[in-house]
Structures are given as C-alpha cells and as structure tokens.
C-alpha cells in the first residue's frame, strides 16, 4: 500500500461509520450533483456526511449519458476516468446531414472532428449515467466513512433551530411508509434534489429562469439500417420533417435518437467546515457558478433553436454546423473562466504567466515531474482529495542548472 503495508490503495482506512442523528452535511438527492459532492466530502475523514434519496435504490437507466471532456477530467481526479474511457463510446467525429441540391432529401454535408486537438487529453464519451453513478458509489464505499446513500428516504421539511452546532432540522420520510419519519440535525443541508427541489421550496426560493418551447423525444434503439453514419454522432436536418440527433451508445449496438417533436404551446464546499477558510467562501459558489450556469442555459437554447430551424437557404443550413464548431471548446466544458473572488486573485501578476489567463480552468498537458522525472499528464496529479496544490513551472528552455 505504501511500500511497507500491503493492500488496495484505493480503500482508505476505516474511520467512524456510524450514521448519527446529527451530521455536518446532509445531502438531499443521489443524482450526479449529490453523488459528486458526497464523493468529494468523503475525502475528508473528519467531516460527517449523510446522503438521502427518495428512490428505492441506485439509478438503473441514465439520462445524462453524454460525458463532456471536462467531466472526464473530473472523473480522473476521482480516480475512475480510465474505466469510463474504457467502457464508453468515444465521440471523435460528427457528421452533418442536410437537404441536398436537386431535391435530394438528405446528403452528408460534412464530417468534422468533434473535439478539436488540445482541448483536453480526455475524449468526449457516451456511457450510461447509471454506470458513472456506480463508480461514485464505489468511491464512497471505500472512503474512511464507508458512506452509502440512504434510499427510500424523502426530505419532507426543513426547520431552522436555535442550535449553534446543528442549526437545521430535516424531517425525512420513507415514500412507501410516510409514517416512518426521522429527524436529522445538520450544520449544512445541500439541495441536490433536482429541478423540483424540495430544499428550494422549503427555503421559499423561487425557481428563476425560462423554459424552452421545444419538445424532444429521446429513445435508445437497435436500428436495422443502411444509413452509413449510424456509428457516428450525426446532426440530421431535413427540409420540412424536423431534425434528428443520432448518438451511438457504448457497447456497439444501440443508438440514442433525439427526435424533434411538435412545438409546445405557450401555456402549457469543505474547507470552511474544517475551519480552514471563512464561511463567506461558500457564498462565492453562487456568484462563480451562477454565471457559468446561465451561459450554459443560453448556449443550450441557441443550439437547440438553430438545430430546429427549417433551413431556407444553403447558408442557413450551414449555420448550425458553424455554431457547433465555434463553440466546441464550450461544449467540451473546457472554456470556464472565473472572475476575481475570495479564492481568485486579480490580474496584477498576469505578466508572469501570459499563456495562463488568471481564473481560467487549468489545462492539462504532458509534463515531466521534476522530483522523479516521471512523464505524466499534469491533470492526473490533481486528485479530488481535498488538498490545496501549488504548481510551479520552470521557465521555457530551463535545463535544470544545479546552482
Ligand atoms: C432526456 C435527458 C437527456 C439528458 N442528457 C444529458 C447528457 O447527455 N449529458 C448531461 O450531462 N446531462 C444530460 N441531461 C441532464 C441531466 O440529466 C441533469 O442535468 C442532471 O441529472 C441534473 O443532476 P442533479 O443531480 O442536479 O439532479 P437529478 O439528476 O434530478 O437528481 C435529483 C435526485 O434527487 C432525488 N430527490 C428529489 N427530491 C427528493 C427529496 N425530497 N428527498 C430525497 N430525494 C429527492 C431524485 O429522486 C433524484 O435522484 C439530460 C436530461 C434529460 C431529461
């Protein structure tokens, strides 16, 4: 395990595994958000965590099966990217089908690289969300607290209490036996309970935003077809029959079809828990992430609108492809840049690293670690183990002068 003790290094020494009625963090919901947070918090043996889910067990069928390069980088930090890469379908190229000249209903207009070189060392992957959830659950089970989600547990209400240590009281029920209720007192409750969040409504917060008027059907099918690009991601835009997105699935057989239906009618953080940083650091999460989430929503809306538009001219038809290409870095999730905050400095020292804009997500690349001369991907060294890291680069052409 460490050159002295043998064992599996991915299994941490067990700490306290007892579920108490008080906890530092109560996470509501076992979707991707809840499981990511729980896995990260598990790295801190001194923070107690409980995670509840109203469903009866782990996810069986996924929706979020498309894994952007940036998500795969995050899985690397959690130590399971290799398995995702091995099992998943790799979206390396995209083909665009549009109406051709002379009444030809559809022709392949182009076939392009999906993720441009140097965006990330990770591919764009398709793998069942249920599988990714399993990897998170395995990590949690190997952590010091051996954390497992508590299924059939639904958050019913939240009450603020006059208690300095555990100021929030959560009432939790079993959906099949609502009379079975439990009270959990927590320092923090994190609402990872999806679009119709009970945590949000208990805090009397309104859902701000807008909904798109487009309706899409999504299904995984086994196609018997002579369509030549069935094993490629394809954007198919017809003249008057709507659009279809074809995304091959892992395993080599099924494809997922996103089919445009008729339009809808209009009516229808851990450091502060350990005392290492001020509590105000939690507030920066909203300012940092809200702006990014809004960009993503805007981008998704524009992309869906362009895809659905019935092209009148050849130029119109090429617009979706041009937009797709232009925003490749963005869809890969590697374009994030944070504004100055408590944890992001200003740009007064930018001249020291002109190739790395301050606040920009750190790009991985092949490097040689000075201490042991090991060639490696820089990003693979940044594990999600809760440590703060300082990375120092030698100047270009530095040969390592012993003096
Ligand atoms: C058809 C479709 C396709 C998609 N494809 C992709 C894709 O390819 N890639 C991608 O990244 N995203 C995709 N998404 C989006 C993705 O599914 C969501 O962004 C993601 O699931 C949001 O994660 P979450 O953890 O915030 O919430 P959710 O996944 O909604 O999870 C919330 C969890 O909380 C539980 N819960 C709710 N209320 C309570 C309560 N009161 N008590 C206890 N538990 C509760 C729910 O049962 C659920 O398990 C797709 C979505 C859809 C609908």
């Amino acid at each position: 395990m460490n050159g002295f003790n043998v064992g599996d290094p991915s299994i941490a020494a067990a700490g306290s595994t007892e579920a108490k009625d008080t906890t530092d963090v109560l996470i509501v919901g076992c979707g991707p958000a809840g499981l990511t947070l729980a896995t990260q918090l598990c790295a801190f043996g001194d923070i107690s965590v409980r995670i509840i889910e109203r469903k009866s067990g782990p996810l069986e069928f996924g929706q979020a099966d498309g894994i952007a390069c940036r998500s795969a980088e995050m899985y690397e930090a959690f130590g399971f990217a290799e398995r995702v890469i091995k099992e998943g379908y790799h979206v390396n190229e995209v083909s665009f089908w549009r109406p051709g000249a002379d009444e030809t209903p559809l022709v392949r207009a182009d076939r392009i690289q999906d993720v441009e070189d140097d965006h990330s060392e990770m591919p764009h992957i398709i793998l069942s969300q249920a599988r990714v959830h399993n990897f998170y659950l395995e990590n949690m089970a190997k952590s010091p607290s051996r954390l497992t989600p508590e299924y059939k547990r639904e958050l019913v209400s939240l009450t603020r209490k006059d208690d300095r240590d555990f100021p929030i009281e959560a009432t939790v029920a079993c959906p099949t036996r609502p009379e079975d209720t439990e009270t959990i007192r927590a320092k923090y409750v994190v609402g990872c309970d999806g679009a119709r969040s009970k945590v949000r409504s208990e805090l009397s917060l309104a859902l701000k935003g807008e909904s798109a008027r487009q309706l899409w059907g999504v299904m995984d099918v086994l196609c018997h077809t002579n369509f030549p690009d069935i094993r490629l991601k394809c954007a198919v835009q017809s003249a008057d029959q709507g659009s279809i997105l074809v995304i091959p699935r892992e395993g080599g057989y099924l494809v997922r079809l996103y089919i445009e239906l008729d339009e809808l009618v209009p009516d229808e953080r851990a450091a502060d828990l350990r005392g290492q940083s001020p509590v105000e650091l939690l507030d920066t999460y909203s300012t940092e992430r809200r702006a990014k989430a809004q960009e993503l929503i805007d981008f998704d809306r524009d992309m869906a609108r362009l895809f659905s538009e019935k092209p009148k001219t050849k130029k119109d038809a090429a617009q979706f492809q041009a937009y797709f290409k232009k925003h490749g870095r963005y869809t890969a999730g590697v374009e994030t840049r944070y504004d100055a905050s408590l944890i992001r400095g200003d740009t007064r020292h930018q001249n020291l690293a002109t190739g790395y804009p301050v606040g920009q997500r750190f790009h991985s690349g092949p490097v040689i670690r000075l201490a042991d001369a090991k060639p490696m991907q820089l990003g693979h060294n940044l594990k999600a183990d809760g440590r703060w890291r300082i990375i120092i680069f030698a100047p270009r052409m530095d040969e390592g002068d012993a003096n």
Side-chain angles (χ1 to χ4, degrees):
M1 201 164 175
N2 54 14
F4 188 68
N5 298 318
V6 289
D8 180 345
S10 70
I11 304 175
S16 166
T17 56
E18 194 192 338
K20 302 195 193 115
D21 65 351
T22 57
T23 186
D24 289 330
V25 183
L26 171 66
I27 301 170
V28 184
C30 274
L35 291 177
T36 305
L37 177 64
T39 306
Q40 175 67 89
L41 287 176
C42 278
F44 303 88
D46 53 345
I47 297 177
S48 57
V49 182
R50 288 181 67 174
I51 175 165
I52 58 167
E53 167 58 53
R54 69 175 170 205
K55 290 185 191 137
S56 58
L59 189 76
E60 288 177 7
F61 299 101
Q63 293 167 342
D65 301 343
I67 299 169
C69 306
R70 181 67 195 122
S71 302
E73 290 178 3
M74 203 180 72
Y75 300 158
E76 172 60 37
F78 284 121
F80 58 76
E82 262 179 29
R83 296 168 76 187
V84 173
I85 292 169
K86 186 174 160 206
E87 293 182 19
Y89 168 85
H90 293 201
V91 187
N92 293 326
E93 291 190 357
V94 193
S95 79
F96 294 86
W97 288 73
R98 295 196 280 270
D102 312 327
E103 313 278 297
T104 321
L106 286 175
V107 290
R108 187 197 287 120
D110 210 347
R111 182 170 159 160
I112 64 167
Q113 200 171 329
D114 181 71
V115 182
E116 283 181 23
D117 293 343
D118 286 339
H119 277 189
S120 170
E121 90 274 23
M122 295 294 172
H124 174 189
I125 306 162
I126 307 295
L127 182 66
S128 167
Q129 182 188 352
R131 194 73 185 119
V132 174
H133 280 204
N134 278 347
F135 296 142
Y136 277 123
L137 294 172
E138 281 179 23
N139 267 21
M140 287 160 56
K142 292 173 177 176
S143 72
S145 63
R146 307 287 191 258
L147 184 66
T148 51
E150 297 166 51
Y151 295 107
K152 287 198 203 160
R153 283 280 170 259
E154 177 165 3
L155 178 79
V156 179
S157 66
L158 289 175
T159 322
R160 197 169 262 283
K161 292 279 164 190
D162 193 14
D163 176 340
R164 264 191 56 203
D165 294 330
F166 301 102
I168 308 158
E169 191 175 277
T171 305
V172 171
C174 174
T176 49
R177 293 199 336 217
E179 65 282 4
D180 268 5
T181 57
E182 185 189 357
T183 302
I184 303 174
R185 289 180 302 131
K187 273 198 176 86
Y188 294 96
V189 173
V190 189
C192 299
D193 48 346
R196 293 180 185 87
S197 167
K198 182 76 182 169
V199 173
R200 185 177 56 224
S201 66
E202 283 297 286
L203 295 173
S204 306
L205 298 172
L207 172 62
K208 291 184 192 152
E210 45 190 285
S211 56
R213 302 263 171 249
Q214 283 150 351
L215 191 60
W216 290 79
V218 184
M219 58 183 171
D220 289 333
V221 293
L222 181 64
C223 279
H224 186 71
T225 177
N226 60 1
F227 180 57
D229 287 351
I230 198 66
R231 291 307 299 163
L232 280 184
K233 176 175 169 183
C234 304
V236 183
Q237 286 172 290
S238 74
D240 50 16
Q241 304 281 308
S243 304
I244 294 184
L245 192 66
V246 180
I247 304 190
R249 295 219 55 121
E250 68 272 31
Y253 293 98
L254 298 180
V255 288
R256 177 164 288 187
L257 299 180
Y258 286 83
I259 302 162
E260 190 192 2
L261 305 174
D262 286 339
E263 278 205 357
L264 278 177
V265 285
D267 279 337
E268 285 176 292
R269 220 162 258 223
D272 45 283
L273 272 171
R274 314 173 93 204
Q276 290 176 336
S277 59
V279 182
E280 290 75 41
L281 190 60
L282 280 178
D283 295 335
T284 65
Y285 183 79
S286 301
T287 42
E288 285 158 9
R289 292 309 310 173
R290 230 194 118 74
K292 301 298 143 205
Q294 188 60 50
E295 279 172 20
L296 184 63
I297 291 166
D298 294 345
F299 169 80
D300 251 21
R301 190 195 47 226
D302 290 348
M303 188 96 159
R305 182 182 48 75
L306 278 177
F307 191 40
S308 308
E309 265 170 15
K310 302 198 172 33
K312 290 192 189 69
T313 62
K314 263 191 151 176
K315 202 170 149 217
D316 281 355
Q319 234 196 340
F320 171 73
Q321 185 181 335
Y323 193 77
F324 178 92
K325 212 169 169 179
K326 183 169 170 217
H327 294 279
R329 290 187 71 85
Y330 193 77
T331 39
V334 297
E335 192 61 9
T336 313
R337 183 167 181 190
Y338 295 106
D339 294 330
S341 72
L342 273 179
I343 46 171
R344 206 222 89 172
D346 56 36
T347 51
R348 81 186 82 162
H349 300 303
Q350 180 68 76
N351 62 316
L352 297 174
T354 46
Y356 268 112
V358 173
Q360 182 106 11
R361 159 212 160 261
F362 212 66
H363 191 74
S364 182
V367 291
I368 297 178
R369 189 164 56 189
L370 187 67
D372 57 0
K374 185 177 178 185
M376 64 197 311
Q377 270 287 336
L378 178 62
H380 296 197
N381 213 16
L382 307 176
K383 297 293 173 205
D385 54 9
R387 292 184 217 189
W388 294 86
R389 289 179 167 80
I390 298 174
I391 297 170
I392 300 171
F393 294 102
R396 191 189 292 265
M397 309 307 286
D398 186 321
E399 299 280 317
D401 184 347
N403 301 313

